[in-house]
Amino acid sequence: MPLYIAHYKSPNGSTPVSGVFEFSSNHRAGSKQNMHDARMHMLQSYGNEAVAWQIDAIETKKADDARSDHQMQIDFRDPAEHRPKKRIVRGFK
């Protein structure tokens, strides 16, 4: 399942709360089903205090290109074969 990051905030009050959490969903980012999955994950994680919170934005989590130890990866694959494009001539029979 794809991973998403949701940004939430509490209503303006004496102790405003804001933050992010990570969740997984089978639905497209920003869809109603995805928002519902985010809301359910937030309620399961934070409990009753999260009932009044609002989800501001949902974005897809990017896969890290760099390794955790900051070591570059070497690509040992053979170079791709270059094939010239076929030329299409139209109008002649």
Side-chain angles (χ1 to χ4, degrees):
M1 269 193 264
L3 291 176
Y4 297 97
I5 298 174
H7 301 266
Y8 66 89
K9 69 175 183 177
S10 66
N12 295 335
S14 61
T15 56
V17 177
S18 64
V20 296
F21 63 90
E22 187 175 303
F23 71 101
S24 60
S25 175
N26 285 331
H27 305 289
R28 194 171 41 94
S31 66
K32 287 183 181 181
Q33 295 92 355
N34 188 272
M35 291 288 282
H36 178 74
D37 290 344
R39 181 93 178 138
M40 294 307 292
H41 185 273
M42 183 176 68
L43 291 173
Q44 290 172 353
S45 298
Y46 299 107
N48 289 340
E49 66 182 88
V51 171
W53 296 353
Q54 297 174 352
I55 296 175
D56 290 341
I58 295 179
E59 59 188 36
T60 44
K61 183 176 180 183
K62 305 282 190 254
D64 291 336
D65 291 336
R67 291 177 33 175
S68 61
D69 57 357
H70 304 290
Q71 181 73 28
M72 292 180 61
Q73 295 180 359
I74 300 175
D75 188 4
F76 290 105
R77 295 179 290 181
D78 292 331
E81 183 180 317
H82 176 65
R83 295 182 187 169
K85 293 184 178 181
K86 292 183 179 180
R87 188 170 177 193
I88 299 173
V89 179
R90 297 185 182 167
F92 296 104
K93 288 189 178 184

